[in-house]
Amino acid sequence: MNPSDSPVPVVSYARISADLKRDEHGVQDQHKVNRQTAARYGWTVVHEFTDNDRSAAKADVVRDEFEAMLRVLRVGKLPNGTSVQGVVILAADRLARRPGDYERFVEAITFQDGRVFADARGAQDLYSEDVESMGLFGAVISKMEVRKMQRRMRRSHRSRAEQGVPSGGPRPFGWNPDRRTLDKREADLVRQAARDFLGGRSLHSIVREWQEAGVKTSLGNDWITLSLKVMLRNPRMCGLRELNGELVRDADGNPVQGQWATILTVEEWSAIRAVFDSRKGYFIGRDMKIVKPHQPDYRDHTYLLSGILRCGRTRPDGTLCNTPLRVNRKKDAGHPTVVPAGFLRTLFGGSRK
């Protein structure tokens, strides 16, 4: 590069699949290496695109920053007008693990002539068919390796389940960190909740009671109706294990008993599941009895922004409430997380229907 030439403006892209410490340490290290790589070639990093804690192997995962980078490459500039003439990455697997994503990247960066590209190993000419083919082949190999890893993990999960070994993940509510012995206080709460639910009490009322008592989930979050429902439906409650919606069974077809203490009996858990299953597709009244079947469009929102607006009230501990706002037809909602229907009609001129 001629010293009189202006540095080539490039962007840095970094991605990591799992940021367990939630400190972005991994992606920041990648950007540091990318800046060093750019400096070797006389390029200047003008923007950093970061997909932290995002998989590149799963088809249903959208990498927002990756998509934003592709749009920038096509137009050749950032939203503020800064020119972009290339990309620097740490390694190919940080950029793409699926052939389709790699092809879209190459199409975007070569949309205009004169673009530059480099990883920690060196610069590459993506306008060369041989280089593009090798990169695409690398994405195919990466995808194959990911699939092999997924198959190994599935086999490992099933093997552990068939042996009755506890699964990994966060500590289940009701158990100690060893996932085998019970936390007496939490286990007693679950047992009482199960009895109350089978006795006709609503999940919402149980959750409200737990919230008022300061009971938190194993992750330290407030309980909500859905999380209580998921917990009570979990076969772990009675020592069983479920994979892909089916109970894990031994060679004789009998459910495998897990190697952990149980909170509920099989009969209690089965009764709870039966109640939930009987309610599928129906509205439930305040007395917890089935009222009528769901209409095909029952999930369609009546009012604009339903399910989107959230409460911005600050809690005593300084955190935001963030509760989804509900609509009440009364003039005085009586609760900060309930929005009167007339208020939304005033703002948006009526309902969606």
Side-chain angles (χ1 to χ4, degrees):
M1 174 179 175
N2 191 315
S4 62
D5 295 337
S6 299
V8 177
V10 298
V11 295
S12 169
Y13 179 77
R15 182 193 66 81
I16 193 170
S17 297
D19 182 8
L20 301 180
K21 294 183 178 180
R22 299 291 190 271
D23 60 1
E24 298 192 0
H25 182 76
V27 288
Q28 293 306 320
D29 284 348
Q30 291 181 36
H31 282 308
K32 180 179 179 180
V33 174
N34 291 348
R35 289 192 295 270
Q36 294 171 350
T37 301
R40 288 206 311 267
Y41 294 99
W43 307 341
T44 299
V45 174
V46 296
H47 188 76
E48 296 176 350
F49 290 99
T50 306
D51 280 314
N52 190 47
D53 208 26
R54 288 294 179 91
S55 170
K58 299 177 180 178
D60 59 344
V61 174
V62 177
R63 291 184 285 158
D64 297 329
E65 290 288 275
F66 177 78
E67 299 298 333
M69 181 177 67
L70 297 189
R71 292 192 293 270
V72 166
L73 290 176
R74 279 194 170 273
V75 298
K77 59 183 178 180
L78 295 170
N80 63 8
T82 301
S83 175
V84 173
Q85 298 179 25
V87 178
V88 180
I89 62 173
L90 176 69
D93 61 352
R94 300 301 88 199
L95 179 68
R97 281 187 173 274
R98 298 174 59 82
D101 287 342
Y102 181 78
E103 289 181 314
R104 292 195 300 129
F105 170 74
V106 173
E107 289 176 358
I109 196 171
T110 60
F111 188 72
Q112 297 181 19
D113 294 333
R115 298 287 179 74
V116 297
F117 173 74
D119 60 20
R121 297 179 301 176
Q124 302 176 35
D125 180 12
L126 293 183
Y127 296 92
S128 167
E129 294 181 357
D130 291 339
V131 174
E132 180 183 354
S133 299
M134 289 301 296
L136 183 59
F137 181 69
V140 172
I141 295 299
S142 179
K143 182 178 180 180
M144 292 172 58
E145 289 299 322
V146 169
R147 287 185 173 178
K148 286 181 181 179
M149 181 176 63
Q150 291 172 339
R151 285 195 294 269
R152 288 196 298 268
M153 291 180 62
R154 286 195 294 268
R155 286 196 294 266
S156 175
H157 286 320
R158 176 158 291 279
S159 176
R160 291 173 61 87
E162 291 173 348
Q163 296 172 31
V165 178
S167 60
R171 176 184 72 83
F173 186 83
W175 281 268
N176 292 313
D178 62 4
R179 309 177 64 84
R180 296 172 183 265
T181 57
L182 296 179
D183 179 304
K184 186 179 185 306
R185 173 179 169 274
E186 293 182 353
D188 288 344
L189 285 171
V190 175
R191 290 194 188 96
Q192 188 60 50
R195 296 191 190 102
D196 291 345
F197 176 71
L198 290 175
R201 189 177 178 185
S202 70
L203 295 179
H204 178 70
S205 66
I206 298 173
V207 166
R208 288 293 298 273
E209 180 179 294
W210 284 13
Q211 291 175 343
E212 292 173 358
V215 179
K216 303 290 185 179
T217 68
S218 61
L219 294 177
N221 300 321
D222 289 330
W223 281 93
I224 60 174
T225 303
L226 179 60
S227 57
L228 179 58
K229 178 180 180 180
V230 169
M231 182 182 69
L232 292 177
R233 283 180 57 89
N234 192 336
R236 167 178 256 274
M237 293 288 112
C238 63
L240 303 181
R241 182 83 176 273
E242 199 172 52
L243 283 179
N244 301 321
E246 299 289 339
L247 289 178
V248 177
R249 300 178 182 274
D250 58 23
D252 297 325
N254 300 314
V256 174
Q257 189 67 34
Q259 300 174 19
W260 58 85
T262 61
I263 295 179
L264 305 177
T265 66
V266 174
E267 291 74 20
E268 288 173 327
W269 174 78
S270 298
I272 290 173
R273 288 290 288 258
V275 172
F276 284 128
D277 291 342
S278 68
R279 295 175 177 177
K280 288 181 179 178
Y282 293 90
F283 290 102
I284 308 300
R286 291 185 179 274
D287 57 359
M288 302 309 295
K289 293 182 179 180
I290 295 176
V291 179
K292 60 180 181 179
H294 290 158
Q295 299 299 321
D297 61 348
Y298 87 101
R299 288 189 180 276
D300 291 349
H301 293 305
T302 301
Y303 299 96
L304 286 172
L305 302 184
S306 296
I308 299 175
L309 288 176
R310 290 181 175 270
C311 178
R313 185 176 49 141
T314 302
R315 292 173 173 168
D317 61 0
T319 62
L320 289 180
C321 175
N322 205 38
T323 301
L325 299 180
R326 297 180 290 110
V327 173
N328 192 310
R329 294 184 181 278
K330 298 179 181 179
K331 291 184 178 180
D332 182 10
H335 191 276
T337 59
V338 180
V339 180
F343 173 74
L344 292 181
R345 282 196 294 271
T346 300
L347 285 180
F348 305 110
S351 66
R352 290 179 59 185
K353 292 183 179 179

